[in-house]
Amino acid sequence: MTALPQPFDLTGKLAVVTGARRGIGLAIAEALAAAGADIVAVSANLEASGSEVDKRVTALGRRCTALRADFAERAAVAELADTLLSLDRPVDILVNNAGTIARAPAADHTDEDWDQVLAVNLTSQFTLTREVGRHMLDRRQGKVIFTASLLSFQGGINVPGYTAAKSGIAGLTRALANEWAGRGVNVNALVPGYVATDNTRALREDDERYTAILDRIPAGRWARPEDLGGAAVFLASAASDYVHGALLPVDGGWLGR
């Protein structure tokens, strides 16, 4: 009897996940490993061994390689790209998840905060994708996944740099998909809703804002990082081979409200 295809199986694939030390990146790395992928975990302060992502990935029987990179520094991103392209196997899946946020009213938002947020959340992601993507194009196969945001669609409050960067990610996702879809490379983005991570701690500690946000989420709760795992596996797998330039909300229904 002929075996049925397994479109969500990532066995034999190598996935790079940036911002993998904690939060959404950690959850995505674990989900991809559970689907069969080996993981290259990247973060600015990732331990060389014994990290939480290393423990979770290896517990699933997959390999985990730890790399450090400061995504605010162009030279560090270029060095990371060189390291990835010198590995003993090609990168099949690139998850651009590294990010930072600076909260301040626009009138008080400093140039330094603006520059850092744009560098980490947008510029570095284009640079890394360009370098890794070039080799995916040569092989005519690959999956690129960005982490966008609800603020790719909305303005937010007191986060002008973050909103600008995440709006840029939405545009970059579509622009790369337009160029690369016909050359075997899928480029898409996850759109997380309000997720309980360190980046949203300030909101969750503000009772008024927390309640206002929760009251608007049809699912009736904030997301957990692991809620992003299944959608990431979908976009990384053969199940999404005809999906290009999509921004996939995982938001508890927020955008449909």
Side-chain angles (χ1 to χ4, degrees), residues 181-257:
R183 301 175 64 185
V185 178
N186 296 73
V187 184
N188 296 289
L190 294 169
V191 182
Y194 283 92
V195 186
T197 65
D198 288 347
N199 269 1
T200 60
R201 185 182 303 277
L203 295 179
R204 289 182 287 116
E205 291 178 346
D206 181 329
D207 290 342
E208 185 176 344
R209 288 281 286 132
Y210 176 81
T211 301
I213 290 168
L214 183 61
D215 286 347
R216 191 191 150 159
I217 301 172
R221 66 171 176 86
W222 281 51
R224 297 179 289 267
E226 54 266 30
D227 288 321
L228 279 296
V233 171
F234 167 64
L235 292 180
S237 71
S240 64
D241 279 352
Y242 200 62
V243 179
H244 297 276
L247 284 90
L248 176 59
V250 186
D251 65 351
W254 176 280
L255 288 174
R257 187 65 178 263

Side-chain angles (χ1 to χ4, degrees), residues 3 14 26-27 50-52 54 67 105 111 125 127 134 147 153 169 191 201 216 240 252:
L14 181 64
L26 171 60
S51 66
E52 184 63 24
D54 179 70
L67 297 176
D111 289 346
Q125 302 200 23
T127 302
R134 187 180 292 127
T147 301
F153 301 93
I169 286 295
V191 182
R201 185 182 303 277
R216 191 191 150 159
S240 64

